[in-house]
Amino acid sequence: MNRGNRIALACVYWAFVLYVFVPLILMILMGFKDSKFIGFPIRSWTLDWYTGVFSDAEVLYTFGYSVVIAVLSTLISVIVGTWIAVLLEGRRFWGRAVTFGLMVLPALVPGIISAIAFRIYARWLGIEPGMGAIVWAHAVHNVPFVSLVVMARLSTLPKSQIEAARDLGADPLIAFLRITLPYLVPAILGASVFCLLLSFDDFVRSFFLGGYEPTLPVLIFAMLRSGMSPEINAIATVALVLTAAIGIWAERFTRRTNKESQI
Amino acid sequence: MSASPLVHIDGISKRFGDAVALEHLSLDIAQGEFVTFLGPSGCGKSTTLRILGGFERPDTGRVILDGEDVTMQPPEKRHVNMVFQDYALFPHMTVRQNISFALELKGMDKTGIARRLDEIMSFLELDAYGDRYPGQLSGGQRQRVALARALAPDPALLLLDEPLGALDAKLRGQVQRELKSIQRQTHKTFFFVTHDQEEALTMSDRIVVMNHGRVEQDGTPEELYFHPASRFVAEFIGETNLLSGKMRGVEGEAVVMEWFGQTLRGHAPSGVPAEGAPITASVRLEKLGFHSSRPDLPNAVQGRVINRTFLGSRMAVDLLVEQTDGAKLRAFVDAETGQAIGDDLVWAAWDSDSMAVLRD
């Protein structure tokens, strides 16, 4: 590749980075502005919005509520998703293609449609809107992501690993627990982080299936209706920093364990 | 138990879909033997190994191990361990954890495990690597860990699935000698599978040559090399001259054949063919001798050396045989002899014991 091309590609890349990050930077900046009105110029800076957020019981409670939902739905997704992955990967049986398609479907259904469907289904089953319903909807939506990631990892596990374990005296269950599962850890962790973030970030399902307590995105939406406030910027910034930190940590961890487990 | 074999394979067959992997294989393996199953890929050698290990079940037949029918036993119940082709070391466990895996599952106590670990690790010179992960070891070290892990539970039979394939040529020779000496010291029965004839010749007490799911020949390395029973064995093991002629009859011990009007005498390890039948005989390259005048040997042909290939420790010479339709014989000689032969007509001769009449 010649020099001109490289420079052109670099310019496009940095233009893209600007395009993505400028809105985020604006949002972060406004959270430090000592004025109720969002926009330039910023004449003085303050941390009041942050102290306000951290002393706002409702915001803190909602944050915790969202985290609990994320953790619970992730646990369910990971167990069910891994289960399906182990069932499907490397096996041929009648109807495998259909089974696989059904497994992926929840991830493909448009959010609003699946949210309405869940709402109707929940009422029909007699499930009250609230935490249980949200956890359930998030878990179902996230299962395909876990299954796909775990299946990809599982497909790289040499068959001889399990055979070696069996050869050395492990029954199928022990072989799964001591060989397969440790091998899947990086994939499961990566998928878990992804599920946590998906759940934490979800608005549509949480909105339709929520009871009286809102999740964080629903709360922000409610706050927006009474007007844009730098407090929202502060909440959003905190959420952004946390999710970015978790994402980066997970990425590095996954890469490291992948490297270690290479044979 | 000394009279009965350690392993008794009784008429096992196995098909995968339409492909026949094994056809009615019966075989006994004695305690302490180093048996090699040799053959091209798809000959059934690996299937046999996997049936012995418990990873496949034969469609018919039985496997008796130490007097017990293990045909339907899963791998974890068998007193058999395996060294895998890719070693299959557990990447998330240290060398020590890999080797003690089977001991733990056996329910051995901590001191027992520690004692056995020390014993096997010092025997295979792995003491320094106990806390390393497989990813931190060289190919040769991994191979030894795989061997240590398979030997640790003291199996009655050790299966080795082409375990040297991944090593480079130089290391392979060294490991071959090591393996053989480990087998001698432990008095274990080794069941070795390979497609490398040289490997088979160097290590084995006994070689079973397989082809298309059947045994082609079963014997010591020397028997197979010098007295091959079939054309397949003669061609698969080492390099050989194949002479196609006609069966003429039997004279005492010798089988007489006609080759381009000349009478040659050989022996028939796999039975005497019918008179007049077209036959093929094999003469090993190193069994040909060169003479300036007709020597007093049962087989002598005249020809001219048309090609010399220097191979370091020896020389290969190609002889164009007179009074044939351009038949060539190849021979190994030392380099001085090769040069001394010159380009004039010479006699190439061999003994009847050096020429095996083959089964097609």
Side-chain angles (χ1 to χ4, degrees), chain B residues 119-151:
Chain B
E119 194 180 286
I120 197 89
M121 285 175 60
S122 76
F123 178 59
L124 287 165
E125 294 164 28
L126 287 166
D127 321 66
Y129 309 109
D131 295 323
R132 297 224 190 145
Y133 286 91
Q136 300 167 312
L137 300 175
S138 72
Q141 289 163 346
R142 282 181 211 175
Q143 201 264 342
R144 282 219 296 282
V145 176
L147 190 61
R149 187 178 69 176
L151 284 172

PDB file of all heavy atoms in Angstrom, chain B residues 119-151:
ATOM      1  N   GLU B 119       8.173 -40.440  41.416  1.00  0.00           N
ATOM      2  CA  GLU B 119       8.734 -41.609  40.764  1.00  0.00           C
ATOM      3  C   GLU B 119       8.692 -41.452  39.240  1.00  0.00           C
ATOM      4  O   GLU B 119       9.717 -41.549  38.566  1.00  0.00           O
ATOM      5  CB  GLU B 119       7.864 -42.797  41.193  1.00  0.00           C
ATOM      6  CG  GLU B 119       8.399 -44.160  40.932  1.00  0.00           C
ATOM      7  CD  GLU B 119       7.387 -45.185  41.438  1.00  0.00           C
ATOM      8  OE1 GLU B 119       7.273 -45.354  42.671  1.00  0.00           O
ATOM      9  OE2 GLU B 119       6.680 -45.790  40.609  1.00  0.00           O
ATOM     10  N   ILE B 120       7.505 -41.153  38.728  1.00  0.00           N
ATOM     11  CA  ILE B 120       7.329 -41.124  37.270  1.00  0.00           C
ATOM     12  C   ILE B 120       8.029 -39.908  36.668  1.00  0.00           C
ATOM     13  O   ILE B 120       8.602 -39.972  35.593  1.00  0.00           O
ATOM     14  CB  ILE B 120       5.828 -41.169  36.901  1.00  0.00           C
ATOM     15  CG1 ILE B 120       5.624 -41.565  35.441  1.00  0.00           C
ATOM     16  CG2 ILE B 120       5.112 -39.863  37.153  1.00  0.00           C
ATOM     17  CD1 ILE B 120       5.516 -43.015  35.221  1.00  0.00           C
ATOM     18  N   MET B 121       8.043 -38.779  37.425  1.00  0.00           N
ATOM     19  CA  MET B 121       8.662 -37.578  36.876  1.00  0.00           C
ATOM     20  C   MET B 121      10.163 -37.677  36.860  1.00  0.00           C
ATOM     21  O   MET B 121      10.814 -37.154  35.946  1.00  0.00           O
ATOM     22  CB  MET B 121       8.187 -36.336  37.617  1.00  0.00           C
ATOM     23  CG  MET B 121       6.762 -35.977  37.196  1.00  0.00           C
ATOM     24  SD  MET B 121       6.035 -34.613  38.082  1.00  0.00           S
ATOM     25  CE  MET B 121       7.133 -33.294  37.704  1.00  0.00           C
ATOM     26  N   SER B 122      10.733 -38.370  37.838  1.00  0.00           N
ATOM     27  CA  SER B 122      12.186 -38.504  37.798  1.00  0.00           C
ATOM     28  C   SER B 122      12.561 -39.555  36.751  1.00  0.00           C
ATOM     29  O   SER B 122      13.563 -39.429  36.067  1.00  0.00           O
ATOM     30  CB  SER B 122      12.756 -38.842  39.173  1.00  0.00           C
ATOM     31  OG  SER B 122      12.520 -40.181  39.485  1.00  0.00           O
ATOM     32  N   PHE B 123      11.711 -40.570  36.593  1.00  0.00           N
ATOM     33  CA  PHE B 123      11.977 -41.593  35.580  1.00  0.00           C
ATOM     34  C   PHE B 123      12.008 -40.975  34.179  1.00  0.00           C
ATOM     35  O   PHE B 123      12.853 -41.310  33.361  1.00  0.00           O
ATOM     36  CB  PHE B 123      10.899 -42.685  35.665  1.00  0.00           C
ATOM     37  CG  PHE B 123      11.034 -43.769  34.624  1.00  0.00           C
ATOM     38  CD1 PHE B 123      12.192 -44.541  34.555  1.00  0.00           C
ATOM     39  CD2 PHE B 123      10.013 -44.029  33.724  1.00  0.00           C
ATOM     40  CE1 PHE B 123      12.321 -45.534  33.609  1.00  0.00           C
ATOM     41  CE2 PHE B 123      10.146 -45.021  32.769  1.00  0.00           C
ATOM     42  CZ  PHE B 123      11.296 -45.776  32.716  1.00  0.00           C
ATOM     43  N   LEU B 124      11.104 -40.043  33.921  1.00  0.00           N
ATOM     44  CA  LEU B 124      11.049 -39.425  32.597  1.00  0.00           C
ATOM     45  C   LEU B 124      11.761 -38.075  32.555  1.00  0.00           C
ATOM     46  O   LEU B 124      11.604 -37.310  31.606  1.00  0.00           O
ATOM     47  CB  LEU B 124       9.597 -39.279  32.139  1.00  0.00           C
ATOM     48  CG  LEU B 124       8.950 -40.604  31.748  1.00  0.00           C
ATOM     49  CD1 LEU B 124       7.450 -40.485  31.665  1.00  0.00           C
ATOM     50  CD2 LEU B 124       9.504 -41.103  30.430  1.00  0.00           C
ATOM     51  N   GLU B 125      12.535 -37.781  33.606  1.00  0.00           N
ATOM     52  CA  GLU B 125      13.341 -36.557  33.674  1.00  0.00           C
ATOM     53  C   GLU B 125      12.490 -35.304  33.472  1.00  0.00           C
ATOM     54  O   GLU B 125      12.814 -34.423  32.686  1.00  0.00           O
ATOM     55  CB  GLU B 125      14.475 -36.611  32.648  1.00  0.00           C
ATOM     56  CG  GLU B 125      15.471 -37.704  32.984  1.00  0.00           C
ATOM     57  CD  GLU B 125      16.385 -38.045  31.815  1.00  0.00           C
ATOM     58  OE1 GLU B 125      16.621 -37.146  30.998  1.00  0.00           O
ATOM     59  OE2 GLU B 125      16.844 -39.183  31.735  1.00  0.00           O
ATOM     60  N   LEU B 126      11.389 -35.260  34.229  1.00  0.00           N
ATOM     61  CA  LEU B 126      10.506 -34.103  34.132  1.00  0.00           C
ATOM     62  C   LEU B 126      10.504 -33.281  35.418  1.00  0.00           C
ATOM     63  O   LEU B 126       9.734 -32.329  35.543  1.00  0.00           O
ATOM     64  CB  LEU B 126       9.076 -34.567  33.824  1.00  0.00           C
ATOM     65  CG  LEU B 126       8.801 -35.073  32.411  1.00  0.00           C
ATOM     66  CD1 LEU B 126       7.479 -35.803  32.349  1.00  0.00           C
ATOM     67  CD2 LEU B 126       8.823 -33.935  31.410  1.00  0.00           C
ATOM     68  N   ASP B 127      11.364 -33.650  36.370  1.00  0.00           N
ATOM     69  CA  ASP B 127      11.322 -33.013  37.704  1.00  0.00           C
ATOM     70  C   ASP B 127      11.304 -31.496  37.632  1.00  0.00           C
ATOM     71  O   ASP B 127      10.619 -30.834  38.403  1.00  0.00           O
ATOM     72  CB  ASP B 127      12.546 -33.434  38.554  1.00  0.00           C
ATOM     73  CG  ASP B 127      12.889 -34.881  38.348  1.00  0.00           C
ATOM     74  OD1 ASP B 127      13.300 -35.222  37.220  1.00  0.00           O
ATOM     75  OD2 ASP B 127      12.728 -35.651  39.296  1.00  0.00           O
ATOM     76  N   ALA B 128      12.056 -30.941  36.684  1.00  0.00           N
ATOM     77  CA  ALA B 128      12.219 -29.484  36.653  1.00  0.00           C
ATOM     78  C   ALA B 128      10.987 -28.773  36.096  1.00  0.00           C
ATOM     79  O   ALA B 128      10.887 -27.560  36.183  1.00  0.00           O
ATOM     80  CB  ALA B 128      13.439 -29.131  35.801  1.00  0.00           C
ATOM     81  N   TYR B 129      10.052 -29.531  35.529  1.00  0.00           N
ATOM     82  CA  TYR B 129       8.962 -28.874  34.805  1.00  0.00           C
ATOM     83  C   TYR B 129       7.597 -28.997  35.475  1.00  0.00           C
ATOM     84  O   TYR B 129       6.589 -28.608  34.900  1.00  0.00           O
ATOM     85  CB  TYR B 129       8.866 -29.444  33.384  1.00  0.00           C
ATOM     86  CG  TYR B 129      10.189 -29.426  32.665  1.00  0.00           C
ATOM     87  CD1 TYR B 129      10.877 -30.604  32.399  1.00  0.00           C
ATOM     88  CD2 TYR B 129      10.751 -28.215  32.281  1.00  0.00           C
ATOM     89  CE1 TYR B 129      12.104 -30.575  31.757  1.00  0.00           C
ATOM     90  CE2 TYR B 129      11.971 -28.181  31.634  1.00  0.00           C
ATOM     91  CZ  TYR B 129      12.645 -29.361  31.373  1.00  0.00           C
ATOM     92  OH  TYR B 129      13.845 -29.321  30.742  1.00  0.00           O
ATOM     93  N   GLY B 130       7.592 -29.532  36.702  1.00  0.00           N
ATOM     94  CA  GLY B 130       6.330 -29.835  37.383  1.00  0.00           C
ATOM     95  C   GLY B 130       5.319 -28.711  37.419  1.00  0.00           C
ATOM     96  O   GLY B 130       4.119 -28.937  37.295  1.00  0.00           O
ATOM     97  N   ASP B 131       5.800 -27.474  37.590  1.00  0.00           N
ATOM     98  CA  ASP B 131       4.860 -26.363  37.754  1.00  0.00           C
ATOM     99  C   ASP B 131       4.617 -25.596  36.457  1.00  0.00           C
ATOM    100  O   ASP B 131       3.940 -24.582  36.452  1.00  0.00           O
ATOM    101  CB  ASP B 131       5.377 -25.406  38.836  1.00  0.00           C
ATOM    102  CG  ASP B 131       5.406 -26.091  40.182  1.00  0.00           C
ATOM    103  OD1 ASP B 131       4.473 -26.889  40.449  1.00  0.00           O
ATOM    104  OD2 ASP B 131       6.348 -25.862  40.971  1.00  0.00           O
ATOM    105  N   ARG B 132       5.164 -26.092  35.373  1.00  0.00           N
ATOM    106  CA  ARG B 132       4.928 -25.410  34.096  1.00  0.00           C
ATOM    107  C   ARG B 132       3.609 -25.860  33.489  1.00  0.00           C
ATOM    108  O   ARG B 132       3.110 -26.943  33.776  1.00  0.00           O
ATOM    109  CB  ARG B 132       6.049 -25.747  33.111  1.00  0.00           C
ATOM    110  CG  ARG B 132       7.380 -25.259  33.583  1.00  0.00           C
ATOM    111  CD  ARG B 132       8.130 -24.603  32.464  1.00  0.00           C
ATOM    112  NE  ARG B 132       9.497 -24.359  32.861  1.00  0.00           N
ATOM    113  CZ  ARG B 132      10.519 -24.438  32.034  1.00  0.00           C
ATOM    114  NH1 ARG B 132      10.313 -24.771  30.772  1.00  0.00           N
ATOM    115  NH2 ARG B 132      11.731 -24.189  32.458  1.00  0.00           N
ATOM    116  N   TYR B 133       3.104 -24.996  32.614  1.00  0.00           N
ATOM    117  CA  TYR B 133       1.910 -25.353  31.844  1.00  0.00           C
ATOM    118  C   TYR B 133       2.351 -25.938  30.498  1.00  0.00           C
ATOM    119  O   TYR B 133       3.436 -25.602  30.016  1.00  0.00           O
ATOM    120  CB  TYR B 133       1.029 -24.120  31.630  1.00  0.00           C
ATOM    121  CG  TYR B 133       0.305 -23.727  32.885  1.00  0.00           C
ATOM    122  CD1 TYR B 133       0.851 -22.822  33.790  1.00  0.00           C
ATOM    123  CD2 TYR B 133      -0.933 -24.308  33.184  1.00  0.00           C
ATOM    124  CE1 TYR B 133       0.188 -22.486  34.970  1.00  0.00           C
ATOM    125  CE2 TYR B 133      -1.606 -23.973  34.351  1.00  0.00           C
ATOM    126  CZ  TYR B 133      -1.044 -23.066  35.237  1.00  0.00           C
ATOM    127  OH  TYR B 133      -1.704 -22.754  36.392  1.00  0.00           O
ATOM    128  N   PRO B 134       1.531 -26.805  29.921  1.00  0.00           N
ATOM    129  CA  PRO B 134       1.913 -27.422  28.641  1.00  0.00           C
ATOM    130  C   PRO B 134       2.346 -26.398  27.592  1.00  0.00           C
ATOM    131  O   PRO B 134       3.261 -26.657  26.816  1.00  0.00           O
ATOM    132  CB  PRO B 134       0.637 -28.143  28.206  1.00  0.00           C
ATOM    133  CG  PRO B 134      -0.057 -28.469  29.470  1.00  0.00           C
ATOM    134  CD  PRO B 134       0.244 -27.337  30.411  1.00  0.00           C
ATOM    135  N   GLY B 135       1.688 -25.230  27.596  1.00  0.00           N
ATOM    136  CA  GLY B 135       2.039 -24.193  26.640  1.00  0.00           C
ATOM    137  C   GLY B 135       3.470 -23.697  26.775  1.00  0.00           C
ATOM    138  O   GLY B 135       3.997 -23.052  25.872  1.00  0.00           O
ATOM    139  N   GLN B 136       4.091 -23.972  27.934  1.00  0.00           N
ATOM    140  CA  GLN B 136       5.458 -23.475  28.169  1.00  0.00           C
ATOM    141  C   GLN B 136       6.513 -24.543  27.888  1.00  0.00           C
ATOM    142  O   GLN B 136       7.669 -24.363  28.227  1.00  0.00           O
ATOM    143  CB  GLN B 136       5.581 -23.010  29.629  1.00  0.00           C
ATOM    144  CG  GLN B 136       4.617 -21.894  29.969  1.00  0.00           C
ATOM    145  CD  GLN B 136       4.522 -21.646  31.453  1.00  0.00           C
ATOM    146  OE1 GLN B 136       4.359 -22.579  32.241  1.00  0.00           O
ATOM    147  NE2 GLN B 136       4.627 -20.385  31.862  1.00  0.00           N
ATOM    148  N   LEU B 137       6.100 -25.670  27.304  1.00  0.00           N
ATOM    149  CA  LEU B 137       7.044 -26.762  27.076  1.00  0.00           C
ATOM    150  C   LEU B 137       7.352 -26.925  25.588  1.00  0.00           C
ATOM    151  O   LEU B 137       6.563 -26.531  24.739  1.00  0.00           O
ATOM    152  CB  LEU B 137       6.455 -28.078  27.587  1.00  0.00           C
ATOM    153  CG  LEU B 137       6.103 -28.166  29.074  1.00  0.00           C
ATOM    154  CD1 LEU B 137       5.431 -29.493  29.361  1.00  0.00           C
ATOM    155  CD2 LEU B 137       7.338 -27.991  29.947  1.00  0.00           C
ATOM    156  N   SER B 138       8.503 -27.545  25.316  1.00  0.00           N
ATOM    157  CA  SER B 138       8.848 -27.853  23.925  1.00  0.00           C
ATOM    158  C   SER B 138       8.117 -29.123  23.490  1.00  0.00           C
ATOM    159  O   SER B 138       7.542 -29.834  24.307  1.00  0.00           O
ATOM    160  CB  SER B 138      10.347 -28.067  23.809  1.00  0.00           C
ATOM    161  OG  SER B 138      10.687 -29.300  24.411  1.00  0.00           O
ATOM    162  N   GLY B 139       8.161 -29.406  22.196  1.00  0.00           N
ATOM    163  CA  GLY B 139       7.468 -30.576  21.662  1.00  0.00           C
ATOM    164  C   GLY B 139       7.910 -31.874  22.329  1.00  0.00           C
ATOM    165  O   GLY B 139       7.084 -32.697  22.707  1.00  0.00           O
ATOM    166  N   GLY B 140       9.216 -32.027  22.500  1.00  0.00           N
ATOM    167  CA  GLY B 140       9.740 -33.248  23.102  1.00  0.00           C
ATOM    168  C   GLY B 140       9.321 -33.393  24.559  1.00  0.00           C
ATOM    169  O   GLY B 140       8.987 -34.483  25.026  1.00  0.00           O
ATOM    170  N   GLN B 141       9.306 -32.252  25.275  1.00  0.00           N
ATOM    171  CA  GLN B 141       8.895 -32.283  26.680  1.00  0.00           C
ATOM    172  C   GLN B 141       7.416 -32.647  26.801  1.00  0.00           C
ATOM    173  O   GLN B 141       7.023 -33.427  27.661  1.00  0.00           O
ATOM    174  CB  GLN B 141       9.156 -30.924  27.330  1.00  0.00           C
ATOM    175  CG  GLN B 141      10.636 -30.642  27.523  1.00  0.00           C
ATOM    176  CD  GLN B 141      10.919 -29.174  27.776  1.00  0.00           C
ATOM    177  OE1 GLN B 141      10.065 -28.316  27.560  1.00  0.00           O
ATOM    178  NE2 GLN B 141      12.116 -28.881  28.238  1.00  0.00           N
ATOM    179  N   ARG B 142       6.590 -32.071  25.908  1.00  0.00           N
ATOM    180  CA  ARG B 142       5.160 -32.395  25.939  1.00  0.00           C
ATOM    181  C   ARG B 142       4.937 -33.867  25.705  1.00  0.00           C
ATOM    182  O   ARG B 142       4.093 -34.497  26.334  1.00  0.00           O
ATOM    183  CB  ARG B 142       4.435 -31.637  24.829  1.00  0.00           C
ATOM    184  CG  ARG B 142       4.204 -30.215  25.180  1.00  0.00           C
ATOM    185  CD  ARG B 142       3.462 -29.536  24.055  1.00  0.00           C
ATOM    186  NE  ARG B 142       3.865 -28.155  24.022  1.00  0.00           N
ATOM    187  CZ  ARG B 142       3.480 -27.301  23.106  1.00  0.00           C
ATOM    188  NH1 ARG B 142       2.703 -27.699  22.119  1.00  0.00           N
ATOM    189  NH2 ARG B 142       3.868 -26.055  23.159  1.00  0.00           N
ATOM    190  N   GLN B 143       5.714 -34.410  24.779  1.00  0.00           N
ATOM    191  CA  GLN B 143       5.580 -35.823  24.467  1.00  0.00           C
ATOM    192  C   GLN B 143       5.892 -36.661  25.703  1.00  0.00           C
ATOM    193  O   GLN B 143       5.193 -37.622  26.007  1.00  0.00           O
ATOM    194  CB  GLN B 143       6.532 -36.136  23.317  1.00  0.00           C
ATOM    195  CG  GLN B 143       6.208 -37.372  22.541  1.00  0.00           C
ATOM    196  CD  GLN B 143       7.012 -38.536  23.034  1.00  0.00           C
ATOM    197  OE1 GLN B 143       8.026 -38.361  23.705  1.00  0.00           O
ATOM    198  NE2 GLN B 143       6.548 -39.712  22.720  1.00  0.00           N
ATOM    199  N   ARG B 144       6.904 -36.253  26.463  1.00  0.00           N
ATOM    200  CA  ARG B 144       7.256 -36.998  27.676  1.00  0.00           C
ATOM    201  C   ARG B 144       6.190 -36.846  28.756  1.00  0.00           C
ATOM    202  O   ARG B 144       5.906 -37.785  29.494  1.00  0.00           O
ATOM    203  CB  ARG B 144       8.614 -36.531  28.208  1.00  0.00           C
ATOM    204  CG  ARG B 144       9.776 -37.103  27.429  1.00  0.00           C
ATOM    205  CD  ARG B 144      10.930 -37.484  28.330  1.00  0.00           C
ATOM    206  NE  ARG B 144      11.513 -36.354  29.013  1.00  0.00           N
ATOM    207  CZ  ARG B 144      12.349 -35.504  28.433  1.00  0.00           C
ATOM    208  NH1 ARG B 144      12.668 -35.650  27.180  1.00  0.00           N
ATOM    209  NH2 ARG B 144      12.851 -34.505  29.116  1.00  0.00           N
ATOM    210  N   VAL B 145       5.599 -35.643  28.834  1.00  0.00           N
ATOM    211  CA  VAL B 145       4.522 -35.442  29.813  1.00  0.00           C
ATOM    212  C   VAL B 145       3.340 -36.346  29.460  1.00  0.00           C
ATOM    213  O   VAL B 145       2.750 -36.989  30.327  1.00  0.00           O
ATOM    214  CB  VAL B 145       4.075 -33.967  29.859  1.00  0.00           C
ATOM    215  CG1 VAL B 145       2.890 -33.805  30.802  1.00  0.00           C
ATOM    216  CG2 VAL B 145       5.219 -33.076  30.301  1.00  0.00           C
ATOM    217  N   ALA B 146       3.027 -36.416  28.163  1.00  0.00           N
ATOM    218  CA  ALA B 146       1.915 -37.269  27.728  1.00  0.00           C
ATOM    219  C   ALA B 146       2.197 -38.725  28.094  1.00  0.00           C
ATOM    220  O   ALA B 146       1.305 -39.448  28.557  1.00  0.00           O
ATOM    221  CB  ALA B 146       1.705 -37.137  26.225  1.00  0.00           C
ATOM    222  N   LEU B 147       3.439 -39.126  27.927  1.00  0.00           N
ATOM    223  CA  LEU B 147       3.830 -40.490  28.266  1.00  0.00           C
ATOM    224  C   LEU B 147       3.733 -40.712  29.780  1.00  0.00           C
ATOM    225  O   LEU B 147       3.199 -41.718  30.249  1.00  0.00           O
ATOM    226  CB  LEU B 147       5.261 -40.731  27.770  1.00  0.00           C
ATOM    227  CG  LEU B 147       5.781 -42.151  27.800  1.00  0.00           C
ATOM    228  CD1 LEU B 147       4.923 -43.041  26.916  1.00  0.00           C
ATOM    229  CD2 LEU B 147       7.230 -42.185  27.324  1.00  0.00           C
ATOM    230  N   ALA B 148       4.234 -39.723  30.547  1.00  0.00           N
ATOM    231  CA  ALA B 148       4.187 -39.823  32.007  1.00  0.00           C
ATOM    232  C   ALA B 148       2.743 -39.908  32.492  1.00  0.00           C
ATOM    233  O   ALA B 148       2.410 -40.704  33.366  1.00  0.00           O
ATOM    234  CB  ALA B 148       4.878 -38.615  32.636  1.00  0.00           C
ATOM    235  N   ARG B 149       1.879 -39.092  31.892  1.00  0.00           N
ATOM    236  CA  ARG B 149       0.480 -39.070  32.314  1.00  0.00           C
ATOM    237  C   ARG B 149      -0.193 -40.414  32.041  1.00  0.00           C
ATOM    238  O   ARG B 149      -0.993 -40.888  32.845  1.00  0.00           O
ATOM    239  CB  ARG B 149      -0.253 -37.951  31.565  1.00  0.00           C
ATOM    240  CG  ARG B 149      -1.655 -37.732  32.045  1.00  0.00           C
ATOM    241  CD  ARG B 149      -2.335 -36.601  31.323  1.00  0.00           C
ATOM    242  NE  ARG B 149      -2.603 -36.942  29.929  1.00  0.00           N
ATOM    243  CZ  ARG B 149      -3.273 -36.148  29.083  1.00  0.00           C
ATOM    244  NH1 ARG B 149      -3.711 -34.980  29.503  1.00  0.00           N
ATOM    245  NH2 ARG B 149      -3.477 -36.516  27.857  1.00  0.00           N
ATOM    246  N   ALA B 150       0.167 -41.028  30.903  1.00  0.00           N
ATOM    247  CA  ALA B 150      -0.447 -42.303  30.559  1.00  0.00           C
ATOM    248  C   ALA B 150       0.136 -43.455  31.389  1.00  0.00           C
ATOM    249  O   ALA B 150      -0.554 -44.423  31.690  1.00  0.00           O
ATOM    250  CB  ALA B 150      -0.276 -42.587  29.068  1.00  0.00           C
ATOM    251  N   LEU B 151       1.410 -43.327  31.786  1.00  0.00           N
ATOM    252  CA  LEU B 151       2.040 -44.392  32.559  1.00  0.00           C
ATOM    253  C   LEU B 151       1.720 -44.306  34.047  1.00  0.00           C
ATOM    254  O   LEU B 151       1.763 -45.311  34.756  1.00  0.00           O
ATOM    255  CB  LEU B 151       3.568 -44.357  32.378  1.00  0.00           C
ATOM    256  CG  LEU B 151       4.126 -44.896  31.058  1.00  0.00           C
ATOM    257  CD1 LEU B 151       5.621 -44.617  30.970  1.00  0.00           C
ATOM    258  CD2 LEU B 151       3.862 -46.394  30.927  1.00  0.00           C
TER     259      LEU B 151
END
